[in-house]
Amino acid sequence: MGGRFQRRWGRYVLSVAALSLIIAGPAPARQTGPKPKPGATQTAPPVIVPDPPRPGPPPARANPSLITNPSWARQPVPDYPATALANGIVAGRVTLRCLALPDGALSGCEIIEETPAGQGFAASVITAAARARLSPRTVDGAATGARVQFTTRFAAPVVVEPAPSPQPRRGRP
């Protein structure tokens, strides 16, 4: 009878031990190493926290696109410069770059090239550009501004002299 009693008692002891582990939880971890001095506070090792990432450079300012083949609502029509005409210049060329506003007006025009220089061609084109209008460019239904570059070619006006009137014939009718 001793064997059966020991088995029963052994199962009982194991059940109580398992139940106490469930209720109490695992035993606390034992500290290894030197014991702290009485009254001293324990500090954890320092935690190194990285700095937050630095913001990158600001995004590059988007340059407006460059229109090189504009669609005109009102084309610039410059006058032939009187200075060039007086100096016997028969042709000229000006390349201009302007900011096209959303309404089609041109502003901030700059001369890229003037041939021949100093004959009044650039001033004539800038004056004409102030009166000109582009067909507004749209993106998703909204008008947007852009840069426009165009070249204006000049040819001296041809002066047509009236033909002399025929002289009446004298003599026989």
Side-chain angles (χ1 to χ4, degrees), residues 8-22:
R8 210 179 271 165
W9 179 251
R11 276 189 264 166
Y12 174 74
V13 170
L14 284 176
S15 298
V16 170
L19 186 59
S20 67
L21 277 177
I22 292 172

Side-chain angles (χ1 to χ4, degrees), residues 74-159:
R74 188 178 337 147
Q75 195 164 0
V77 181
D79 296 324
Y80 198 87
T83 307
L85 198 55
N87 291 334
I89 308 291
V90 295
R93 186 178 78 209
V94 175
T95 301
L96 203 63
R97 183 180 300 148
C98 303
L99 178 63
L101 302 175
D103 67 351
L106 302 177
S107 73
C109 294
E110 59 182 320
I111 301 159
I112 303 301
E113 178 187 8
E114 177 186 18
T115 306
Q119 297 299 316
F121 292 111
S124 181
V125 172
I126 288 176
T127 302
R131 295 185 302 257
R133 291 288 181 269
L134 287 170
S135 297
R137 187 176 81 148
T138 59
V139 174
D140 294 333
T144 61
R147 288 236 170 251
V148 61
Q149 182 171 317
F150 60 96
T151 300
T152 302
R153 289 175 177 76
F154 290 86
V158 177
V159 177

Side-chain angles (χ1 to χ4, degrees), residues 54-62:
R54 294 184 184 190
R61 194 174 137 222

